[in-house]
Amino acid sequence: MLNTFFVDLPPMLSAGGTITLPGSKSISNRVLLLAALTPGRTTLHDVLDSDDTRVMLAALRALGCDIEQTGNTVVIDGLGGQAKNRQAQLFMGNAGTAIRPLTAALALMGGSFELSGVPRMHERPIGDLVDALRQLGCQIDYLGQDGYPPLHIGQPSLKLGAPIQVRGDVSSQFLTALLMALPLVARQDIVIDVVGELISRPYIEITLNLLARFGIVVRRDGWQRFTIPAGSQYQSPGTFFVEADASSASYFIALGAIAPATTGRSGIRIDGLGADSIQGDIRFIEAAQMMGARVVSGPNWLEVSRGAWPLTAIDLDCNHIPDAAMTLAVMALYAQGTTTLRNIASWRVKETDRIAAMAVELRKLGATVIEGADYIRVTPPASPAQWRAASIHTYDDHRVAMCFALAAFNPAGLPVRIEDPKCVAKTFPDFFEALFSLVQADPAKIPVICVDGPTASGKGTLAAQLAKQLGYHLLDSGALYRITALAATRAQLPLDASGEDAIAKLAQGLHLAFTGDQVLLAGEDVSETIRTEEAGTNASKVSALPKVRAALVDLQHGFHRLPGLVADGRDMGTVIFPAAPLKVFLTASAEQRAQRRFKQLISKEKSTTLDTLRADLEARDARDSSRSVAPLKPAADARLLDNSHLSVEESVKLVLDWWQGKQPF
């Protein structure tokens, strides 16, 4: 997962390939709670691993539920309708799918519970659910503003005779919460009457479907009256498989509709989800087809490709796909005419006010947007010249971040910045990695920052910090030469011209992997082995061999991938990536570098002297600067950085400022 302040998406050209989506958030959090309320053991497979599901699991554990988790499989020994711990403080983050059904279940169980969340959660309404539960005799008090979390739940005095009234026009989660909790006390028929129009009906269909899987068959009279039959009791299905998330599929359905297919590909294939899904957002397919997408479906897969182009503007009631409809607003940027999305009042009370947020961010890109209480109307930029590069504020809302990533296919070839990309952890932690695996960009537009400099100048540390803060890939070219030298030494090859051909052939077949702080050679961790003084000296020797350098060029170019690259070495800016938009050359003196290396070695209890280190560094500098191929020198357009008296943090900030100065945002 990207854990950066922003991610810059270069302009994209095409897309193609296969993706397997994570499990549905809506289904995952529902079945986690249902399994906890059910007596006996339930094994849940393909459970979504996200912020919201972690919130639910933490709450269930705090209530005394026994849970075993291995990867995406969760085994729950249910509470059977009674919490083991009758007193708990539960932090619910910003997970509406967790706090609302838990509020109802705990209010009927009784005890002493506090439920709170992040500041935005304390702005999301829960009053209609509380009012409905109070009709039953539940004891619920507001700890802050009336109608909103945080809440305190006490011991109920249940009154089940009269029908329960709940509003349906703010959030369907209020009705879902009641439907999931009331079987715990169904000593007689319990009737729920919905007041007003029930929005987001497909989510209620999910709830009813899942309740049936756990032994509760709810009688429904249209969408206004629901009856939990007397004697209803939860029964474990034993094993349950969570469907892939249909809301998350919308981004990749849209990707297939927007992007030209990559050569040799037929579009985007989505595994783990078919058109027969129980999730309402699967009907996003119909809206995408109306706009021009070509969609083929099988029992557990979808294939999507571009059909009509430009896309066709639509006027659609989106009550049936409230979450996925956000993706249509970005697809509207690629449509001919004005797209209107109606009946989306629920957007106002989600993770943010989504109607307002989408309007603001779409306008940044050059669209004309009109927003109303329950609709949004989007007219795309009239021509490529009217598109604008934009930094998209994401409001801590995962869906804003994911749908606006599609703006990188704009016809103007402009980059798009997505702020706070880690907010996608709420439902799809690896969204950007999944996107990058499917899309292609012009290599010339994939950014590269080169950090060159002599031995012990701190370029590796600087480059690693830059890559971390930007979310870019890292190329430590010095490590490649150290690994090559290590492999050559193990093969007993001479590290001079007499061994050049053999070392070059050896380098072409190296199996390398960089995982976090580890450097792997054919699966062996050689991170420490290649950091010795001897390894550095040997690397300098093999790097002077022209055929070895040529053999490693393709390997180094292979690191140039989305979303970008920070490359450190001695010839990154002059030879390997001469077109890089930012090249930095470090110029710390040999004396300063020797002092740094001396401190490092002493801290590792390795004996040496300053004079020895300085002499060695000067010898390496001479060898690297005088070699016939790619001698060590700054590129003509490199920014010189003397970091002799700068901290790592100061150097990083300076380079990031240089980089920001080159961006169009």
Side-chain angles (χ1 to χ4, degrees):
M1 181 183 75
L2 287 175
N3 191 26
T4 56
F5 291 111
F6 58 83
V7 59
D8 289 338
L9 306 179
M12 305 298 181
L13 298 178
S14 64
T18 300
I19 180 173
T20 300
L21 296 172
S24 162
K25 179 189 73 169
S26 297
I27 295 177
S28 292
N29 260 355
R30 282 170 172 80
V31 296
L32 286 172
L33 180 55
L34 290 173
L37 298 177
T38 300
R41 173 168 290 195
T42 304
T43 300
L44 308 173
H45 295 285
D46 301 327
V47 174
L48 174 66
D49 179 19
S50 72
D51 288 348
D52 279 19
T53 53
R54 292 186 200 115
V55 163
M56 178 65 89
L57 285 165
L60 296 177
R61 288 188 175 102
L63 295 171
C65 200
D66 292 327
I67 299 174
E68 297 176 10
Q69 188 171 7
T70 305
N72 296 109
T73 297
V74 180
V75 180
I76 296 180
D77 289 318
L79 298 170
Q82 190 61 58
K84 292 179 182 178
N85 299 332
R86 304 293 300 280
Q87 183 174 351
Q89 291 184 326
L90 305 176
F91 178 74
M92 309 310 299
N94 197 14
T97 57
I99 193 171
R100 288 162 175 167
L102 267 174
T103 294
L106 295 176
L108 292 173
M109 291 180 187
S112 179
F113 306 105
E114 286 188 15
L115 285 79
S116 63
V118 299
R120 173 60 184 170
M121 177 61 84
H122 297 170
E123 298 172 350
R124 298 178 68 179
I126 201 169
D128 294 314
L129 175 60
V130 171
D131 290 345
L133 290 166
R134 284 175 173 173
Q135 295 171 45
L136 290 164
C138 294
Q139 180 62 45
I140 306 176
D141 297 310
Y142 297 112
L143 300 179
Q145 183 181 356
D146 281 1
Y148 301 87
L151 308 172
H152 178 267
I153 295 172
Q155 194 67 32
S157 298
L158 294 178
K159 300 171 288 186
L160 304 174
I164 305 155
Q165 293 191 327
V166 63
R167 283 182 61 183
D169 58 353
V170 175
S171 173
S172 66
Q173 289 178 5
F174 301 153
L175 177 57
T176 280
L178 293 171
L179 290 169
M180 293 174 67
L182 286 170
L184 298 175
V185 294
R187 296 184 288 273
Q188 61 193 70
D189 282 4
I190 303 178
V191 177
I192 306 170
D193 284 336
V194 177
V195 178
E197 180 187 7
L198 177 61
I199 64 172
S200 306
R201 293 175 183 174
Y203 287 106
I204 299 303
E205 290 185 306
I206 293 176
T207 301
L208 296 175
N209 185 295
L210 296 177
L211 283 168
R213 292 290 303 274
F214 281 80
I216 309 297
V217 179
V218 178
R219 298 197 299 268
R220 178 169 69 84
D221 183 6
W223 294 102
Q224 299 304 125
R225 172 163 285 201
F226 298 81
T227 303
I228 292 92
S232 293
Q233 291 186 330
Y234 280 118
Q235 299 172 17
S236 172
T239 300
F240 183 93
F241 288 83
V242 176
E243 284 187 0
D245 189 70
S247 301
S248 296
S250 72
Y251 314 115
F252 298 96
I253 294 170
L255 177 64
I258 291 170
T262 300
T263 302
R265 301 280 190 174
S266 58
I268 303 297
R269 180 183 171 102
I270 301 168
D271 283 340
L273 188 73
D276 59 350
S277 167
I278 68 170
Q279 299 168 71
D281 274 350
I282 196 63
R283 293 185 61 191
F284 179 84
I285 292 173
E286 300 168 12
Q289 289 173 317
M290 290 170 62
M291 296 189 78
R294 184 177 292 117
V295 183
V296 180
S297 175
N300 202 35
W301 55 267
L302 301 169
E303 288 184 351
V304 189
S305 57
R306 186 197 265 194
W309 192 259
L311 296 178
T312 301
I314 58 174
D315 188 323
L316 185 66
D317 183 324
C318 296
N319 181 52
H320 60 301
I321 51 170
D323 285 341
M326 294 175 69
T327 312
L328 296 175
V330 177
M331 290 179 70
L333 293 170
Y334 302 94
Q336 192 166 33
T338 298
T339 292
T340 303
L341 308 178
R342 304 182 186 278
N343 206 358
I344 54 172
S346 64
W347 284 20
R348 297 282 188 191
V349 294
K350 295 288 189 176
E351 282 80 348
T352 188
D353 180 339
R354 286 175 169 171
I355 293 180
M358 295 298 288
V360 168
E361 304 310 315
L362 287 164
R363 290 182 187 121
K364 287 182 181 178
L365 293 163
T368 301
V369 184
I370 299 172
E371 61 170 293
D374 66 345
Y375 72 87
I376 191 168
R377 186 170 290 126
V378 183
T379 305
S383 68
Q386 292 183 319
W387 277 79
R388 296 196 295 267
S391 182
I392 303 298
H393 185 60
T394 52
Y395 307 87
D396 196 27
D397 189 329
H398 54 134
R399 301 209 183 280
V400 174
M402 290 188 279
C403 66
F404 272 100
L406 298 168
F409 281 92
N410 65 81
L414 296 172
V416 176
R417 172 170 290 180
I418 306 295
E419 298 172 13
D420 188 28
K422 61 182 177 295
C423 70
V424 301
K426 184 174 178 66
T427 52
F428 200 158
D430 296 326
F431 169 77
F432 286 102
E433 290 82 354
L435 179 68
F436 296 149
S437 74
L438 297 172
V439 300
Q440 286 72 44
D442 180 349
K445 297 292 182 68
I446 300 176
V448 181
I449 299 176
C450 295
V451 181
D452 287 316
T455 298
S457 59
K459 58 186 179 295
T461 301
L462 174 61
Q465 287 298 313
L466 290 171
K468 181 179 180 180
Q469 293 206 29
L470 292 169
Y472 287 179
H473 298 284
L474 174 65
L475 169 58
D476 180 350
S477 66
L480 299 185
Y481 286 102
R482 287 169 180 260
I483 291 169
T484 301
L486 173 63
T489 301
R490 289 178 172 180
Q492 298 183 335
L493 299 174
L495 305 183
D496 55 27
S498 64
E500 183 174 1
D501 289 340
I503 297 172
K505 184 177 181 180
L506 178 69
Q508 291 174 338
L510 292 176
H511 296 286
L512 304 177
F514 297 87
T515 58
D517 295 330
Q518 290 185 318
V519 181
L520 304 180
L521 172 60
E524 176 193 353
D525 185 352
V526 295
S527 309
E528 293 299 322
T529 307
I530 64 170
R531 295 303 174 192
T532 64
E533 291 300 301
E534 179 185 4
T537 299
N538 290 341
S540 181
K541 292 177 181 178
V542 298
S543 67
L545 304 174
K547 291 182 180 179
V548 174
R549 300 191 70 83
L552 291 176
V553 166
D554 287 344
L555 185 61
Q556 292 175 88
H557 284 164
F559 284 83
H560 187 200
R561 304 190 300 272
L562 289 167
L565 174 68
V566 180
D568 93 74
R570 290 172 174 78
D571 62 352
M572 295 297 99
T574 53
V575 175
I576 306 301
F577 299 108
L582 178 61
K583 301 164 188 171
V584 179
F585 191 87
L586 303 183
T587 62
S589 65
E591 179 180 1
Q592 184 65 35
R593 288 183 281 134
Q595 290 176 351
R596 290 176 181 171
R597 181 59 59 85
F598 181 76
K599 292 178 182 177
Q600 290 175 348
L601 294 175
I602 292 301
S603 68
K604 296 179 181 179
E605 299 182 350
K606 295 183 178 181
S607 178
T608 187
T609 66
L610 274 172
D611 289 342
T612 300
L613 288 173
R614 180 171 178 172
D616 180 58
L617 289 174
E618 289 175 341
R620 289 195 205 182
D621 289 350
R623 186 163 55 243
D624 292 340
S625 300
S626 61
R627 64 193 179 206
S628 60
V629 178
L632 171 67
K633 63 178 181 179
D637 56 346
R639 301 289 294 264
L640 302 183
L641 174 57
D642 185 348
N643 64 350
S644 299
H645 303 291
L646 295 177
S647 67
V648 173
E649 293 75 18
E650 289 170 331
S651 296
V652 169
K653 183 180 184 306
L654 180 59
V655 176
L656 287 176
D657 286 345
W658 290 345
W659 183 241
Q660 181 63 25
K662 292 181 173 290
Q663 306 311 311
F665 308 113

PDB file of all heavy atoms in Angstrom, residues 543-559:
ATOM      1  N   SER A 543      32.672  -2.464 -12.216  1.00  0.00           N
ATOM      2  CA  SER A 543      31.932  -1.399 -12.895  1.00  0.00           C
ATOM      3  C   SER A 543      32.788  -0.719 -13.952  1.00  0.00           C
ATOM      4  O   SER A 543      32.262  -0.011 -14.820  1.00  0.00           O
ATOM      5  CB  SER A 543      31.427  -0.366 -11.882  1.00  0.00           C
ATOM      6  OG  SER A 543      32.509   0.345 -11.302  1.00  0.00           O
ATOM      7  N   ALA A 544      34.089  -0.910 -13.894  1.00  0.00           N
ATOM      8  CA  ALA A 544      34.983  -0.323 -14.889  1.00  0.00           C
ATOM      9  C   ALA A 544      35.069  -1.173 -16.150  1.00  0.00           C
ATOM     10  O   ALA A 544      35.703  -0.767 -17.129  1.00  0.00           O
ATOM     11  CB  ALA A 544      36.379  -0.143 -14.289  1.00  0.00           C
ATOM     12  N   LEU A 545      34.421  -2.344 -16.154  1.00  0.00           N
ATOM     13  CA  LEU A 545      34.478  -3.251 -17.301  1.00  0.00           C
ATOM     14  C   LEU A 545      33.310  -2.940 -18.247  1.00  0.00           C
ATOM     15  O   LEU A 545      32.151  -3.136 -17.884  1.00  0.00           O
ATOM     16  CB  LEU A 545      34.417  -4.704 -16.830  1.00  0.00           C
ATOM     17  CG  LEU A 545      35.499  -5.111 -15.823  1.00  0.00           C
ATOM     18  CD1 LEU A 545      35.255  -6.523 -15.319  1.00  0.00           C
ATOM     19  CD2 LEU A 545      36.888  -4.983 -16.455  1.00  0.00           C
ATOM     20  N   PRO A 546      33.586  -2.452 -19.465  1.00  0.00           N
ATOM     21  CA  PRO A 546      32.519  -2.007 -20.376  1.00  0.00           C
ATOM     22  C   PRO A 546      31.457  -3.072 -20.655  1.00  0.00           C
ATOM     23  O   PRO A 546      30.264  -2.771 -20.700  1.00  0.00           O
ATOM     24  CB  PRO A 546      33.280  -1.630 -21.656  1.00  0.00           C
ATOM     25  CG  PRO A 546      34.650  -1.271 -21.180  1.00  0.00           C
ATOM     26  CD  PRO A 546      34.935  -2.192 -20.033  1.00  0.00           C
ATOM     27  N   LYS A 547      31.853  -4.310 -20.866  1.00  0.00           N
ATOM     28  CA  LYS A 547      30.873  -5.343 -21.197  1.00  0.00           C
ATOM     29  C   LYS A 547      29.966  -5.655 -20.002  1.00  0.00           C
ATOM     30  O   LYS A 547      28.799  -6.007 -20.185  1.00  0.00           O
ATOM     31  CB  LYS A 547      31.581  -6.605 -21.680  1.00  0.00           C
ATOM     32  CG  LYS A 547      32.254  -6.441 -23.033  1.00  0.00           C
ATOM     33  CD  LYS A 547      32.916  -7.726 -23.497  1.00  0.00           C
ATOM     34  CE  LYS A 547      33.589  -7.536 -24.851  1.00  0.00           C
ATOM     35  NZ  LYS A 547      34.266  -8.778 -25.323  1.00  0.00           N
ATOM     36  N   VAL A 548      30.497  -5.540 -18.812  1.00  0.00           N
ATOM     37  CA  VAL A 548      29.683  -5.762 -17.614  1.00  0.00           C
ATOM     38  C   VAL A 548      28.655  -4.641 -17.488  1.00  0.00           C
ATOM     39  O   VAL A 548      27.477  -4.888 -17.213  1.00  0.00           O
ATOM     40  CB  VAL A 548      30.567  -5.846 -16.359  1.00  0.00           C
ATOM     41  CG1 VAL A 548      29.698  -5.926 -15.095  1.00  0.00           C
ATOM     42  CG2 VAL A 548      31.495  -7.048 -16.443  1.00  0.00           C
ATOM     43  N   ARG A 549      29.090  -3.413 -17.706  1.00  0.00           N
ATOM     44  CA  ARG A 549      28.170  -2.280 -17.629  1.00  0.00           C
ATOM     45  C   ARG A 549      27.056  -2.424 -18.663  1.00  0.00           C
ATOM     46  O   ARG A 549      25.879  -2.185 -18.378  1.00  0.00           O
ATOM     47  CB  ARG A 549      28.911  -0.964 -17.838  1.00  0.00           C
ATOM     48  CG  ARG A 549      30.004  -0.683 -16.814  1.00  0.00           C
ATOM     49  CD  ARG A 549      30.504   0.743 -16.926  1.00  0.00           C
ATOM     50  NE  ARG A 549      29.461   1.665 -16.472  1.00  0.00           N
ATOM     51  CZ  ARG A 549      29.249   1.973 -15.195  1.00  0.00           C
ATOM     52  NH1 ARG A 549      29.977   1.434 -14.249  1.00  0.00           N
ATOM     53  NH2 ARG A 549      28.286   2.816 -14.878  1.00  0.00           N
ATOM     54  N   ALA A 550      27.406  -2.849 -19.867  1.00  0.00           N
ATOM     55  CA  ALA A 550      26.406  -3.021 -20.914  1.00  0.00           C
ATOM     56  C   ALA A 550      25.408  -4.112 -20.542  1.00  0.00           C
ATOM     57  O   ALA A 550      24.203  -3.994 -20.788  1.00  0.00           O
ATOM     58  CB  ALA A 550      27.092  -3.352 -22.242  1.00  0.00           C
ATOM     59  N   ALA A 551      25.886  -5.176 -19.914  1.00  0.00           N
ATOM     60  CA  ALA A 551      25.007  -6.278 -19.532  1.00  0.00           C
ATOM     61  C   ALA A 551      23.987  -5.847 -18.486  1.00  0.00           C
ATOM     62  O   ALA A 551      22.882  -6.389 -18.421  1.00  0.00           O
ATOM     63  CB  ALA A 551      25.845  -7.442 -19.001  1.00  0.00           C
ATOM     64  N   LEU A 552      24.360  -4.858 -17.667  1.00  0.00           N
ATOM     65  CA  LEU A 552      23.471  -4.424 -16.587  1.00  0.00           C
ATOM     66  C   LEU A 552      22.549  -3.271 -16.981  1.00  0.00           C
ATOM     67  O   LEU A 552      21.671  -2.900 -16.201  1.00  0.00           O
ATOM     68  CB  LEU A 552      24.303  -4.015 -15.365  1.00  0.00           C
ATOM     69  CG  LEU A 552      25.015  -5.174 -14.639  1.00  0.00           C
ATOM     70  CD1 LEU A 552      25.886  -4.634 -13.516  1.00  0.00           C
ATOM     71  CD2 LEU A 552      24.013  -6.177 -14.093  1.00  0.00           C
ATOM     72  N   VAL A 553      22.731  -2.718 -18.186  1.00  0.00           N
ATOM     73  CA  VAL A 553      21.904  -1.581 -18.599  1.00  0.00           C
ATOM     74  C   VAL A 553      20.431  -1.971 -18.681  1.00  0.00           C
ATOM     75  O   VAL A 553      19.549  -1.290 -18.138  1.00  0.00           O
ATOM     76  CB  VAL A 553      22.393  -1.003 -19.942  1.00  0.00           C
ATOM     77  CG1 VAL A 553      21.343  -0.050 -20.532  1.00  0.00           C
ATOM     78  CG2 VAL A 553      23.705  -0.257 -19.741  1.00  0.00           C
ATOM     79  N   ASP A 554      20.123  -3.074 -19.376  1.00  0.00           N
ATOM     80  CA  ASP A 554      18.728  -3.495 -19.507  1.00  0.00           C
ATOM     81  C   ASP A 554      18.111  -3.790 -18.154  1.00  0.00           C
ATOM     82  O   ASP A 554      16.936  -3.485 -17.916  1.00  0.00           O
ATOM     83  CB  ASP A 554      18.631  -4.729 -20.407  1.00  0.00           C
ATOM     84  CG  ASP A 554      18.864  -4.401 -21.879  1.00  0.00           C
ATOM     85  OD1 ASP A 554      18.799  -3.205 -22.220  1.00  0.00           O
ATOM     86  OD2 ASP A 554      19.111  -5.334 -22.659  1.00  0.00           O
ATOM     87  N   LEU A 555      18.892  -4.393 -17.284  1.00  0.00           N
ATOM     88  CA  LEU A 555      18.402  -4.700 -15.939  1.00  0.00           C
ATOM     89  C   LEU A 555      18.022  -3.417 -15.203  1.00  0.00           C
ATOM     90  O   LEU A 555      16.982  -3.339 -14.543  1.00  0.00           O
ATOM     91  CB  LEU A 555      19.470  -5.461 -15.153  1.00  0.00           C
ATOM     92  CG  LEU A 555      19.086  -5.960 -13.765  1.00  0.00           C
ATOM     93  CD1 LEU A 555      17.920  -6.926 -13.840  1.00  0.00           C
ATOM     94  CD2 LEU A 555      20.280  -6.629 -13.091  1.00  0.00           C
ATOM     95  N   GLN A 556      18.836  -2.382 -15.354  1.00  0.00           N
ATOM     96  CA  GLN A 556      18.548  -1.107 -14.694  1.00  0.00           C
ATOM     97  C   GLN A 556      17.339  -0.422 -15.322  1.00  0.00           C
ATOM     98  O   GLN A 556      16.497   0.141 -14.611  1.00  0.00           O
ATOM     99  CB  GLN A 556      19.783  -0.202 -14.772  1.00  0.00           C
ATOM    100  CG  GLN A 556      20.939  -0.736 -13.933  1.00  0.00           C
ATOM    101  CD  GLN A 556      22.205   0.088 -14.087  1.00  0.00           C
ATOM    102  OE1 GLN A 556      22.412   1.052 -13.370  1.00  0.00           O
ATOM    103  NE2 GLN A 556      23.050  -0.288 -15.031  1.00  0.00           N
ATOM    104  N   HIS A 557      17.200  -0.480 -16.626  1.00  0.00           N
ATOM    105  CA  HIS A 557      16.031   0.109 -17.283  1.00  0.00           C
ATOM    106  C   HIS A 557      14.742  -0.571 -16.830  1.00  0.00           C
ATOM    107  O   HIS A 557      13.674   0.044 -16.837  1.00  0.00           O
ATOM    108  CB  HIS A 557      16.167   0.008 -18.805  1.00  0.00           C
ATOM    109  CG  HIS A 557      17.124   0.996 -19.379  1.00  0.00           C
ATOM    110  ND1 HIS A 557      17.650   0.888 -20.651  1.00  0.00           N
ATOM    111  CD2 HIS A 557      17.672   2.130 -18.855  1.00  0.00           C
ATOM    112  CE1 HIS A 557      18.461   1.905 -20.893  1.00  0.00           C
ATOM    113  NE2 HIS A 557      18.489   2.671 -19.811  1.00  0.00           N
ATOM    114  N   GLY A 558      14.840  -1.833 -16.436  1.00  0.00           N
ATOM    115  CA  GLY A 558      13.667  -2.565 -15.986  1.00  0.00           C
ATOM    116  C   GLY A 558      13.054  -2.020 -14.711  1.00  0.00           C
ATOM    117  O   GLY A 558      11.888  -2.320 -14.398  1.00  0.00           O
ATOM    118  N   PHE A 559      13.794  -1.219 -13.976  1.00  0.00           N
ATOM    119  CA  PHE A 559      13.268  -0.614 -12.753  1.00  0.00           C
ATOM    120  C   PHE A 559      12.427   0.633 -13.043  1.00  0.00           C
ATOM    121  O   PHE A 559      11.791   1.174 -12.144  1.00  0.00           O
ATOM    122  CB  PHE A 559      14.416  -0.243 -11.810  1.00  0.00           C
ATOM    123  CG  PHE A 559      15.020  -1.415 -11.095  1.00  0.00           C
ATOM    124  CD1 PHE A 559      15.987  -2.190 -11.704  1.00  0.00           C
ATOM    125  CD2 PHE A 559      14.608  -1.753  -9.821  1.00  0.00           C
ATOM    126  CE1 PHE A 559      16.548  -3.283 -11.056  1.00  0.00           C
ATOM    127  CE2 PHE A 559      15.161  -2.836  -9.163  1.00  0.00           C
ATOM    128  CZ  PHE A 559      16.134  -3.608  -9.780  1.00  0.00           C
TER     129      PHE A 559
END
